Amino acid sequence: MVVRREPTLADVAEVAGVSLTTVSRVLNNRGYLSQETKDRVARAIAQLNYRPNQVARALHGKSTNIIGVIVPTVALPFFGEVAAEIENALAAHQYRMLVCNSMGRADREREYLDLLVSHRVDGIISGAHNENLREYQTVRMPLVTIDRDLSPSIPNIRCANEAAARDATRLLLDRGARRPALLTSRTGPHNRREAGYRSVLEQAGIEPVIFTVDFHTPDAERARMIDAHLDGAADVIDAVFATDDLSAAAVLDWAQRHGRRVPQDFKVIGFDGTSAVRRALPGLATVRQPIAELARTAVEVLLAQIRAQSEGEQEAAPVDSPIELPGLLLTGTTT
């Protein structure tokens, strides 16, 4: 049986007929070397399809040009599109991306964080949803988050959630809703979309109705929980503001199964506005997050940290965090 393996630096040296030290000097562009020697090493590298060991480069204090990105899962439209836009933004600066799907598990996120730090990636962008992971406080490499409050010292790039939620809730009231409910993942002061919903209802003198289904709930159980919430309040509410589009889609399904005409009898608005959901449900009213701008801004802030570190500075110029970018209200046909 032939055991296949990746070529090593020693293999390159043997094919080129030079020493290991010479190959290392060519790769790192150190010292004087004749063009003939450089060409021989280059031909050997091409012949063997040799790939430099990025971990070894990092251990020698060199950039790997790799950024780690932690998300719940790219199977979700929002995070899939965020990851794609981050990859595009990084490619423009000759960086590559290593994507880690935490699948909503804190233990897996810890493992991935340890993996990225130990492999000396140049920086990390985190968009996972596990709260209170103390491990982030020990990270000493460039780090930014997307829509996640980890620490006042860690830049957070996000949609202007509270303002966008106010717009979404006002739209429901303007279109005739008298008792709109909020369907969200977790309730509390950290939830700025909930804050926007509550502020509009308080101004209108309407009592809030809030349903929670945790973000990481398995799909089948999630659908049952949403149905149970809506069944229990069917005689009370006439609209739902869901803080993500997939939940809004589940609400639309419930309304159809229960004979509620949308938007005449029942109004629905979501949040995210991803291309995937817009194609599947083109009429869904929603707030479109500025996904490309969020990704580009996160990359710009992270690269500023990387440049500062490479220039020997303690830290990059401080940024006002969170950095909020406006969402776009799409009125659709469901309100």
Side-chain angles (χ1 to χ4, degrees):
M1 181 179 67
V2 176
V3 179
R4 301 184 65 185
R5 64 175 177 81
E6 287 293 312
T8 66
L9 210 63
D11 295 328
V12 174
E14 181 179 352
V15 170
V18 298
S19 69
L20 273 170
T21 301
T22 298
V23 174
S24 179
R25 288 171 62 196
V26 170
L27 289 174
N28 293 291
N29 195 26
R30 290 203 312 268
Y32 173 77
L33 294 162
S34 70
Q35 190 59 49
E36 180 189 359
T37 299
K38 293 178 182 178
D39 291 343
R40 285 164 62 187
V41 172
R43 285 194 297 270
I45 288 172
Q47 178 182 330
L48 295 170
N49 194 27
Y50 171 75
R51 299 176 178 87
N53 187 323
Q54 296 297 334
V55 176
R57 286 179 57 82
L59 291 173
H60 285 86
K62 295 179 173 59
S63 171
T64 61
N65 283 88
I66 297 174
I67 301 300
V69 176
I70 306 176
V71 294
T73 170
V74 294
L76 290 172
F78 175 73
F79 292 104
E81 293 184 20
V82 165
E85 292 293 349
I86 289 174
E87 186 169 21
N88 287 337
L90 287 171
H93 297 277
Q94 289 74 55
Y95 278 83
R96 295 176 300 283
M97 178 176 77
L98 179 61
V99 180
C100 303
N101 292 277
S102 70
M103 305 306 294
R105 290 171 45 184
D107 61 334
R108 183 172 291 187
E109 185 172 350
R110 290 189 184 96
E111 290 171 3
Y112 278 135
L113 188 61
D114 181 65
L115 173 74
L116 295 173
V117 172
S118 63
H119 279 66
R120 306 289 181 88
V121 296
D122 290 352
I124 296 173
I125 298 174
S126 178
H129 278 193
N130 295 299
E131 303 295 334
N132 304 319
L133 263 67
R134 289 176 294 179
E135 287 78 3
Y136 279 100
Q137 308 309 318
T138 66
V139 174
R140 295 294 177 262
M141 64 173 52
L143 171 66
V144 303
T145 69
I146 292 181
D147 201 12
R148 185 176 185 189
D149 286 317
L150 288 178
S151 162
S153 62
I154 300 175
N156 177 14
I157 321 301
R158 70 188 186 194
C159 178
N161 290 306
E162 187 169 348
R166 286 197 298 266
D167 290 342
T169 308
R170 285 195 197 100
L171 178 65
L172 293 176
L173 298 184
D174 291 345
R175 295 290 174 87
R178 296 181 301 278
R179 195 76 186 277
L182 179 77
L183 174 58
T184 190
S185 58
R186 298 174 190 173
T187 185
H190 65 281
N191 189 334
R192 305 320 302 165
R193 296 176 197 177
E194 177 186 346
Y197 162 83
R198 285 183 177 276
S199 69
V200 170
L201 291 199
E202 183 178 0
Q203 292 171 3
I206 300 172
E207 187 71 21
V209 177
I210 297 177
F211 307 135
T212 60
V213 178
D214 189 85
F215 180 82
H216 302 302
T217 304
D219 289 344
E221 184 181 351
R222 180 184 186 83
R224 288 194 297 270
M225 291 179 68
I226 291 174
D227 275 4
H229 282 310
L230 296 173
D231 288 344
D235 296 332
V236 177
I237 64 171
D238 58 0
V240 171
F241 167 29
T243 57
D244 69 271
D245 285 340
L246 294 182
S247 294
V251 174
L252 286 174
D253 179 64
W254 176 88
Q256 182 180 32
R257 286 185 282 110
H258 288 75
R260 300 293 185 94
R261 296 177 304 159
V262 177
Q264 296 92 335
D265 303 330
F266 199 80
K267 307 179 191 306
V268 181
I269 189 166
F271 205 105
D272 285 339
T274 59
S275 297
V277 175
R278 296 291 295 163
R279 286 194 295 270
L281 295 171
L284 176 65
T286 189
V287 173
R288 186 167 66 195
Q289 295 207 59
I291 294 175
E293 292 81 359
L294 290 170
R296 283 197 296 269
T297 303
V299 167
E300 289 169 4
V301 173
L302 186 72
L303 294 185
Q305 293 183 14
I306 292 171
R307 285 192 296 271
Q309 190 175 77
S310 67
E311 292 167 4
E313 300 175 21
Q314 288 294 104
E315 58 184 29
V319 298
D320 290 331
S321 182
I323 297 174
E324 294 195 328
L325 303 175
L328 177 65
L329 183 66
L330 303 176
T331 56
T333 60
T334 59
T335 58

